[in-house]
Amino acid sequence: MNRTRRTLLGGAAALTLIGLAAPAALAAPAAPAHNTHHPKHAPVGVRILTPTPGSNAGSGGKGWMVDLVAVYPSLKASGFTGPQLTGPAAHANTAPFPGAFSTGADEHLPGLVVLGSTTNSTLPGFTGPGTNLANLFNLTSQIDTQKHFVAIQDTWIVGAPILGSNVNTTLTVAIIKDRNHDGIYNDAPATVPDANHDGRIDAADLRALGVVGGIQTVRLHLAGE
């Protein structure tokens, strides 16, 4: 089997993995399949598994979950530094799978951006909807490794009403492109700027920043008490 055929099969397998793992209502992210030896030409994508569109999630704005799967051409390209099981207070940086717990880019999956359209700006570390919430994710693990791709699952149990309560909100998730050209998707910012100055931080601002593999959005309601 020649290199081109192997590469196409690897790309198809990666996108199939994302497609099978998610609700049919969410389209698989588009991703080119040309050369898996460099991230700029490799299949990359992210899919939100939970919540589903239209959910009435949690209670009092907390106790709900964000669960997603990210696919990369290789473990090195993902920037993944190992599994984590973390959380607030005593749960942060605790064995056996320590991880930081704060806003900003996740050191375990440093290319991921997760935004909430109603994220508050009053709690320490939160600057409103542009805040990258990726480093608040509690559980990160490598769930599938094949010759031409690796899949990493990332989960966040939301323990406080940081996106509000009894409010409609939109989650927006993407992987930032390889901006520094080091062959690794590790360039997610702590805060996404309002690039088009429209008073919102959303998919348009992520496109201006530069993403790879598409952008996923889910609109849902966060239940009140």
Side-chain angles (χ1 to χ4, degrees), residues 8 11-12 14-15 18 28-34 39-46 71 212-214:
L8 290 173
L15 295 180
I18 299 179
H34 301 300
K40 292 173 66 175
H41 305 293
V44 179
V46 62
V71 170
V212 61

Side-chain angles (χ1 to χ4, degrees), residues 161-210:
I162 62 172
L163 273 68
S165 174
N166 192 26
V167 65
N168 294 324
T169 194
T170 300
L171 290 174
T172 304
V173 176
I175 298 170
I176 299 301
K177 69 179 183 180
D178 180 20
R179 301 180 71 197
N180 61 4
H181 308 294
D182 65 353
I184 304 171
Y185 295 107
N186 57 0
D187 300 312
T191 304
V192 175
D194 184 7
N196 56 9
H197 306 290
D198 65 352
R200 300 189 303 270
I201 311 293
D202 54 21
D205 301 295
L206 283 176
R207 292 188 190 98
L209 188 63

Side-chain angles (χ1 to χ4, degrees), residues 45-215:
V46 62
R47 179 172 291 278
I48 300 171
L49 307 179
T50 301
T52 55
S55 296
N56 185 39
S59 177
K62 57 187 178 181
W64 56 289
M65 177 183 291
V66 183
D67 193 22
L68 57 86
V69 171
V71 170
Y72 300 87
S74 68
L75 193 62
K76 180 181 179 181
S78 73
F80 182 61
T81 60
Q84 68 175 335
L85 177 59
T86 187
H91 301 286
N93 279 320
T94 300
F97 302 118
F101 186 78
S102 66
T103 57
D106 186 351
E107 83 278 18
H108 286 262
L109 204 58
L112 180 68
V113 168
V114 179
L115 303 177
S117 64
T118 55
T119 300
N120 78 81
S121 58
T122 57
L123 293 174
F126 293 88
T127 57
T131 308
N132 186 359
L133 306 172
N135 205 39
L136 294 172
F137 277 59
N138 309 96
L139 181 62
T140 311
S141 63
Q142 188 176 333
I143 61 170
D144 194 7
T145 302
Q146 301 293 336
K147 185 174 182 180
H148 294 293
F149 71 89
V150 61
I152 297 169
Q153 191 158 352
D154 210 14
T155 305
W156 176 30
I157 301 175
V158 184
I162 62 172
L163 273 68
S165 174
N166 192 26
V167 65
N168 294 324
T169 194
T170 300
L171 290 174
T172 304
V173 176
I175 298 170
I176 299 301
K177 69 179 183 180
D178 180 20
R179 301 180 71 197
N180 61 4
H181 308 294
D182 65 353
I184 304 171
Y185 295 107
N186 57 0
D187 300 312
T191 304
V192 175
D194 184 7
N196 56 9
H197 306 290
D198 65 352
R200 300 189 303 270
I201 311 293
D202 54 21
D205 301 295
L206 283 176
R207 292 188 190 98
L209 188 63
V211 302
V212 61
I215 298 171

